Every structure is written in structure tokens, then in C-alpha cells.
Amino acid sequence: MVARDSVARTLRRARARVIIRVRRLRNASRAKGRRFTWARRAVLAATLLAVALVPYPVIGSASVPSPTSCRTHCRPVGTAGKILWSRQLPGAWTASAGLSGTVPVSGQAYVAVGHGLAVVGVGMSLRAYNSSTGQLEWDHELPGFPAGSAIVSVRVWPGVVTAGVSYGPGGASRAEIVFSSTTGQQYHWYSATRFGGAVWATTQTTVVVGPGAVTAFDNSTGKARWRRPTGAADQSWQVDGSDLYMTVAAGGYLGSQPVTALRRIDLATGVENVVRPAATAFHGTLSSVVSNVVLFASNSGVTAYDGLTGLWLWSLRGVVPESTDPSQGRFYLTQGTSLLEVDPTSGQVLARASGSAVAGSAGLFAVRNGVALGLDQGANGEAWGYDVSSQQVVWTASRVPWPHYFVDLGGLGGSAEPDGAKVIVAACAKLGSKSTPSPSISGSTGSTASTTPSPTSTTSPTSPTGNGSPINTSSTSSISASGTPSPSPSATPAPSGRLCADPELVAIYR
């Protein structure tokens, strides 16, 4: 009996070993085919914004099969990496095999997604789509601005949408226009600083960084609820939840004088506190804020301060600010080709994703809930999410030809929904002619009205020309949600590439 049991146990063990070996062989075979693809996506290089305007060689092929995106009303499938819907983009677009991907022939496009909407600004056209189904909710051409004006920022807030418009010689002036997110009705427009605009909004109130002050306006009447003077020089700023941090520097963001203090303004109430450093000045330039920890960057690295007291917290040398993840309360810094996840309070490096740039990977766009968003270049492009802590790709969206993320720094706009599960990209389903037309003036598709809006005037919802009541993932010199100057669309050359016969706006469930 004992011998029989011994033989049975031996047979069971042998059978188990065979099963394990078969499974290992099967898994190895599966992994071999995708090892290179996933490894190259793990590379997190510089942000797309830094290279969005770099020309790349002309694409060699004449066409590409259409992506398998749905063309009618689509339902979210509940699986990360699935394409929810796609819609044709207006205007002339070009497709490049490089990091720029699918972009307008002239100027730039801006997208914000959140609160049930995906809003696109191109030239002087503003379109709002249902972010879950792709249904067009409303479509407006913005009238009353001179030729050459252009939308340079789009934001989606609870109940309202804001669009920054750059106008005048060299795009030196800016207006911020407030719309109902439900109907698209224009409420009011307000003068904004060149690197300012809407920084916070609700159904009732919109807060605007304008000339010499931060002001909260009543959406229904256009009157000021509160106003906090900020001085004659335009300052850098960052938003952290419902707090606005603005520098106090003698020459503003254009000067070389140090930052001697920070204004911390509660955007809901207007209550202001002045935060001063223990030393004579903060070291470096204002870069980002997470959980009331303020990060300053310099040539040597970064320095973190307590945003409530001004006390020094920690410093890291040889790193560059890359992104923030407000939902998890993390800074993301780059060190060489590595991406570091850093605890804001202690400065401890919680995770490190390392690699080197390789062909076909465009690198990091943003980080949401610990997952870095990236894309692959070219006709067979893919969007993907890379979990920084576990250091593995957690989702992919295939067949997104010549993809492009709409970059808007600071997390107030851009391709990625701040608190939701959607990513918006541009793609080119089919290439057009081989040549790229000469660049035209940015925003030339907008109104050519001769009346120029005055930076200090106010207007009614129907006419941004200067009578009536008081009125960003990037820009004709706008500040992309972070108080950092962005390139001017009017100075943007046409990207090197092919005309796109079928440009699309694509929504991906992440």
C-alpha cells in the first residue's frame, strides 16, 4: 500500500513538472514577440512640448489603412486602451513621422477634456464634444477680433468653458472668454495678461489673472466679486487645488530679480497670504506646486519650500522638473534619461523609471494616478500608459497613426482628463498630397472685424468690441496653466510632413 502511494505521488509530481514546463514555454513564446515593443515604450524622454515644433523628414508612404476607431456614437467599453470614438477635425492638418505627429498646417490646436466635455480650439473655431460619445454639443466661430487672432488656451470647468484669445500686434494682447459648457452661450470676456487667463472657475465664478490683479468675476453679471492687486509687472504663477501661488519679483517673469515672496490666494474666497522665505529670496524660478509644497528650479537642480511657511524642505541636484500628479500628490523629475517619482514633503525618490531614447517612442506627456502617458510615432502609432511604480506598461491603444497629444502644462487643460479616464489625441487616418503648403497667419480663419478689443475694455456676451458689462496642456504667448511662457502660434512654422486628408480627434479610455 505504501509503495502504491509512493508511485502515485511520483506520477503526480512528474505530471506537474510537465505542465509547468509547457506553461513556461508558452509564456516565453508569447513574451518574446512583445518584449521589444513594451521595452521601448518604457522609455520616458523629454515632454512633447519641448519638441512639438521640431521639423522632421517627410513621410515616405502615401497612405495608411484607416484606424479601427468607431465612426458613430460609441459606448465606453470599460477596458483601458480602447478607442471610444473619433471625429473629423476641421481645417488643414499635416502629419509628420516625428514627434509632432498630426498638427494644424498653421498655428496650433488646443484641447481640454473634463466634466463630460472635450473642447477643441483651432484658429478662431471652438468645438465642444461629449467626451463619452463624441457627439458634437456646440460649435462657434469667435467674432469681433482682428485678422491674425487665435485661440491660445482652452479650459473646461464645472459649468463653464474658457478660451484665451491672443490678438493685436505680435499677439501682445489677450482676452479670456467665458462660455456655458451646456449651450455654448458666451457670457463675458475679460482682459488677461499675456501669460495669464482663467485659472479657476465654477458655474458662478471665473477667476482671471489679468493686468495688475487677480480678479474673480460673476459669470451672470460680469461684475467683480473680489480683486487682489499684483503689481505692474506680470508674474509667474502656479495653481495647487484651489490655491493660486504667484511670485513677487521686482521685474516679474521677464526680469532677472529674485523672487522675494509668494502670494497665496484662495481662489474660492480671495483670501490672500504673503509667504516669505527664511532667506532673502527663494532659490530659482517657480516651477510647480503639489500639496502646498512649492518647487523652484535652477541650473543646479530643484529646491522645495513649504508653501504655507516659506521654510526650506529639501533640494535635489542634477534634476529637471517634468510633471506633477496632483491626484497622488507627487512631483516627477527627470535625471538624465530617468524619470523620478518624488514625495513632495520629504524629497524621497519613491520610484525611478530609467531608459534611453529609442526610435519610435515619443516619451512622457503627463502622469495621471501614477501612470505616465506616452505614445509611439509614425503610421503605426500607439498610445500607452506606463505605471512608474511597477515599471510596466499597463495599457495600450493601437492603430493611432501619427498620434499627437495636445500639451498644456500644469494639468488645467490638455489631452488627459485630470480626474477621469479619458485621453484625447489627434491622428491622421489617411494621408493627402505629398507637399506641405506655405504657412499662413495663425488664426486667419477667424473674424476679420476691424475693431480691435481693448485690453482694458469690457463687453457684452454678443460683442467683444468694448461696450457693456465687464467680461489653459499653449500659445501666442499665453501661459499654459502654469505661469510659464509658451511659444507663439503666429511664429510657428508649418511642420515638415504630408498633408492629412483625414485628420481625426480620437478619444481613448485609459
Side-chain angles (χ1 to χ4, degrees):
M1 187 69 174
V2 174
R4 184 181 301 172
D5 292 342
S6 177
V7 170
R9 285 195 297 271
T10 301
L11 290 175
R12 284 197 298 269
R13 291 171 181 169
R15 182 182 178 186
R17 285 195 294 270
V18 171
I19 292 174
I20 291 172
R21 288 174 182 173
V22 170
R23 288 177 178 173
R24 286 176 177 173
L25 290 173
R26 185 183 302 163
N27 292 337
S29 177
R30 289 175 179 173
K32 183 178 180 181
R34 62 177 182 255
R35 185 177 301 133
F36 174 75
T37 301
W38 281 36
R40 67 188 176 90
R41 292 181 194 145
V43 177
L44 299 170
T47 60
L48 291 176
L49 181 63
V51 292
L53 306 181
V54 178
Y56 287 85
V58 175
I59 299 169
S61 59
S63 64
V64 65
S66 298
T68 56
S69 55
C70 55
R71 303 284 178 163
T72 58
H73 295 87
C74 305
R75 295 182 179 180
V77 295
T79 303
K82 294 294 184 179
I83 293 177
L84 300 180
W85 51 265
S86 66
R87 294 293 181 268
Q88 187 172 16
L89 285 163
W93 294 65
T94 188
S96 168
L99 298 178
S100 57
T102 304
V103 293
V105 167
S106 175
Q108 298 181 45
Y110 302 88
V111 166
V113 56
H115 306 288
L117 286 183
V119 183
V120 185
V122 183
M124 292 297 288
S125 174
L126 194 66
R127 290 189 174 191
Y129 301 87
N130 184 297
S131 61
S132 295
T133 66
Q135 177 180 344
L136 181 65
E137 300 292 341
W138 45 268
D139 180 7
H140 291 315
E141 291 288 330
L142 307 188
F145 289 90
S149 301
I151 294 172
V152 295
S153 174
V154 177
R155 306 278 186 264
V156 179
W157 313 91
V160 296
V161 170
T162 58
V165 176
S166 178
Y167 65 93
S173 300
R174 173 167 172 162
E176 198 75 12
I177 309 175
V178 184
F179 303 85
S180 165
S181 62
T182 305
T183 65
Q185 174 191 354
Q186 180 178 322
Y187 289 146
H188 303 277
W189 72 263
Y190 308 96
S191 295
T193 61
R194 194 175 186 184
F195 301 109
V199 294
W200 194 76
T202 66
T203 305
Q204 294 79 30
T205 308
T206 299
V207 181
V208 175
V209 175
V214 177
T215 308
F217 294 97
D218 186 292
N219 290 336
S220 60
T221 66
K223 296 181 179 180
R225 290 176 177 263
W226 53 259
R227 184 176 186 271
R228 298 293 174 263
T230 56
D234 294 344
Q235 303 286 335
S236 296
W237 53 269
Q238 291 284 335
V239 172
D240 179 34
S242 62
D243 287 333
L244 173 71
Y245 284 85
M246 179 171 285
T247 59
V248 178
Y253 70 85
L254 291 177
S256 58
Q257 291 88 342
V259 176
T260 57
L262 289 170
R263 290 186 175 92
R264 182 170 60 86
I265 302 173
D266 187 311
L267 294 169
T269 65
V271 173
E272 177 181 325
N273 291 287
V274 177
V275 181
R276 301 186 185 279
T280 56
F282 293 101
H283 180 63
T285 58
L286 179 62
S287 171
S288 52
V289 186
V290 169
S291 302
N292 288 315
V293 175
V294 184
L295 198 67
F296 279 76
S298 66
N299 292 334
S300 61
V302 298
T303 304
Y305 298 89
D306 189 310
L308 303 179
T309 65
L311 294 176
W312 176 91
L313 295 177
W314 51 267
S315 297
L316 287 177
R317 298 182 63 84
V319 296
V320 177
E322 185 72 27
S323 182
T324 62
D325 187 356
S327 61
Q328 290 198 337
R330 298 286 186 267
F331 287 122
Y332 284 88
L333 314 174
T334 53
Q335 187 176 54
T337 59
S338 297
L339 182 74
L340 310 182
E341 178 184 341
V342 177
D343 179 85
T345 303
S346 65
Q348 179 183 358
V349 177
L350 303 176
R352 178 189 298 266
S354 60
S356 57
V358 293
S361 180
L364 172 68
F365 159 66
V367 183
R368 296 290 186 270
N369 297 315
V371 177
L373 309 178
L375 51 76
D376 294 341
Q377 306 167 22
N380 298 315
E382 292 190 348
W384 44 269
Y386 178 84
D387 189 290
V388 179
S389 296
S390 63
Q391 300 196 20
Q392 63 179 354
V393 174
V394 292
W395 63 264
T396 60
S398 60
R399 299 186 181 182
V400 186
W402 296 286
H404 172 74
Y405 277 126
F406 297 93
V407 177
D408 200 350
L409 297 180
L412 295 185
S415 285
E417 191 172 21
D419 301 318
K422 300 179 188 71
V423 175
I424 302 293
V425 301
C428 182
K430 183 180 180 181
L431 289 178
S433 62
K434 296 182 179 180
S435 61
T436 299
S438 300
S440 60
I441 297 176
S442 174
S444 60
T445 58
S447 170
T448 58
S450 59
T451 303
T452 302
S454 168
T456 58
S457 66
T458 59
T459 182
S460 66
T462 58
S463 174
T465 54
N467 55 16
S469 60
I471 68 166
N472 202 182
T473 183
S474 312
S475 55
T476 297
S477 300
S478 80
I479 192 136
S480 54
S482 63
T484 304
S486 301
S488 167
S490 59
T492 302
S496 176
R498 287 277 187 74
L499 283 177
C500 179
D502 191 7
E504 290 186 325
L505 190 71
V506 180
I508 301 169
Y509 184 86
R510 64 176 175 87

